[in-house]
Amino acid sequence: MASPRSGLGTQFGYSIPETTYGTAVAATRFRRVRSAKLTPVIGIAEGSSIQAGLRSQVGAHRVQTTVGAEGSVEFDATYRDMGLLLQAVFGKTSTSTLKTGTAYEQVHTLDNEDFGLSHTFQVSRIARNTAGTAVPATMTGGKVTAASFNCEVGGLLEVGLTLDGYKFDNTTALAVASYLPATVPVRGVDMCVKVGAFGSEAALTGVRSWSMEYRRPMDAADHTACNSGLKGEPVQNAPLEVSGTLNRDWIDKTLEDQSLSNATTSLQVVWTGAQIAGADFFQHTLTLPGTFIEPASQGIDGPQELVTDWAWRWEYDGTNAATWKTITTDTAL
């Protein structure tokens, strides 16, 4: 079937981790996406053009200096084929380990090292010509610098990734796409939010939506001499920033009391899908020990029911790691 000459003809693919930062590896994983964009980042310098009688810059004095790339992708989370992308977000992680039968568990630790972990990302664009030619955009040395997760009860778990790259080109051959048929999206009604002491979190009733913003600051412009304008592999250069919101009906004052105490709680978000076998279900579990609920109180904005967006922020509690655990049938990341 021919691809439409529009965004409907787009494919988004990514590779296993590159062996060498910035050295392309063909994409072998492909996701259905909401949007995807890869763009070059090119430094420009203008030489001096002051000359008697000349009232404009001299075009020959404009030169390219540094090169890099950036991008973004938005998609719906699924219960399968998420391992490599979660690893790209949170850093080096465990591979899938057999739990029971055909159920495998992946453990992604949020505060983890990502140096030595980069991917090749590729997006195709269908040109609006007679042949409907697919023109690929390719980023090598791709790293996730920020991620957003948003889930409303009546919707899906939506994910957005911000990418930084070593180099951009539109000449690398387009990889042949193949998609997993059984990539069921993660629904909002699959979600249960819990709070409490780490290891004994209890369900929080009345939650309408939850969101998280995850940011790993990096020195994404490490351009040095003798490298043809290219940059060194970025390293984290500031603490992680993990925060979000929790929209909840005014059921009780649990979150208000928590916000006033300046004490931490363990915030856990669990999405449970279909049964794999026995007691094992497809599942994503995010656990954030050491979460602060920002100071706030329930207000009254009119005659409507009382609902509040509670802002939260995670900081390491000194003992327990923050993790994203996945139970899936994927035998590998």
Side-chain angles (χ1 to χ4, degrees):
M1 181 182 294
S3 294
R5 294 168 175 80
S6 66
L8 292 174
T10 296
Q11 73 177 48
F12 171 76
Y14 54 99
S15 72
I16 62 174
E18 297 170 341
T19 302
T20 302
Y21 172 68
T23 300
V25 176
T28 55
R29 302 288 187 88
F30 301 89
R31 289 200 69 85
R32 300 169 179 91
V33 299
R34 292 175 178 267
S35 66
K37 180 184 294 185
L38 303 176
T39 59
V41 177
I42 299 176
I44 300 293
E46 292 272 4
S48 174
S49 295
I50 298 176
Q51 175 184 328
L54 185 66
R55 300 180 184 275
S56 66
Q57 296 285 77
V58 176
H61 291 176
R62 176 188 164 101
V63 294
Q64 292 186 351
T65 55
T66 55
V67 296
E70 63 185 15
S72 62
V73 60
E74 296 180 346
F75 57 91
D76 300 325
T78 53
Y79 286 110
R80 293 196 59 199
D81 205 28
M82 286 285 290
L84 279 181
L85 291 177
L86 289 172
Q87 182 188 53
V89 173
F90 299 129
K92 293 186 177 68
T93 185
S94 68
T95 56
S96 286
T97 55
L98 181 62
K99 195 170 183 289
T100 56
T102 57
Y104 289 77
E105 184 178 62
Q106 302 170 4
V107 180
H108 307 272
T109 303
L110 271 64
D111 190 6
N112 214 335
E113 175 63 67
D114 78 316
F115 191 79
L117 185 65
S118 62
H119 299 261
T120 299
F121 293 95
Q122 190 176 65
V123 175
S124 69
R125 296 80 47 83
I126 302 298
R128 196 170 177 177
N129 57 18
T130 303
T133 307
V135 181
T138 304
M139 169 195 287
T140 59
K143 286 177 172 281
V144 176
T145 59
S148 64
F149 299 83
N150 296 278
C151 190
E152 295 184 3
V153 170
L156 302 173
L157 174 56
E158 300 176 8
V159 183
L161 305 182
T162 301
L163 308 174
D164 174 78
Y166 178 71
K167 188 190 293 185
F168 169 95
D169 77 74
N170 63 1
T171 58
T172 299
L174 182 64
V176 178
S178 61
Y179 298 87
L180 285 180
T183 50
V184 177
V186 179
R187 307 177 304 168
V189 292
D190 298 342
M191 178 175 66
C192 181
V193 179
K194 303 179 180 183
V195 295
F198 176 68
S200 57
E201 298 88 350
L204 190 65
T205 58
V207 173
R208 296 181 179 226
S209 65
W210 167 90
S211 70
M212 180 174 80
E213 297 292 328
Y214 179 94
R215 182 172 176 268
R216 185 192 297 274
M218 295 183 184
D219 60 338
D222 184 28
H223 299 282
T224 56
C226 304
N227 204 26
S228 302
L230 296 165
K231 63 185 177 185
E233 180 176 355
V235 298
Q236 184 178 336
N237 61 358
L240 291 176
E241 299 174 13
V242 184
S243 61
T245 59
L246 185 61
N247 182 269
R248 186 188 184 218
D249 290 344
W250 180 243
I251 303 292
D252 55 45
K253 64 190 186 79
T254 299
L255 295 181
E256 184 170 278
D257 285 346
Q258 189 69 46
S259 77
L260 297 173
S261 70
N262 197 40
T264 63
T265 188
S266 181
L267 174 63
Q268 188 174 77
V269 189
V270 184
W271 294 267
T272 304
Q275 184 181 37
I276 298 175
D280 292 313
F281 291 75
F282 286 100
Q283 195 169 79
H284 290 293
T285 302
L286 170 67
T287 305
L288 297 167
T291 297
F292 291 92
I293 307 299
E294 300 289 9
S297 66
Q298 176 65 55
I300 299 173
D301 297 317
Q304 63 269 28
E305 58 192 300
L306 304 185
V307 180
T308 292
D309 281 323
W310 300 93
W312 59 266
R313 180 180 181 85
W314 170 79
E315 295 184 4
Y316 179 49
D317 70 358
T319 304
N320 304 298
T323 58
W324 184 300
K325 295 182 180 181
T326 298
I327 298 176
T328 178
T329 54
D330 295 335
T331 59
L333 296 183

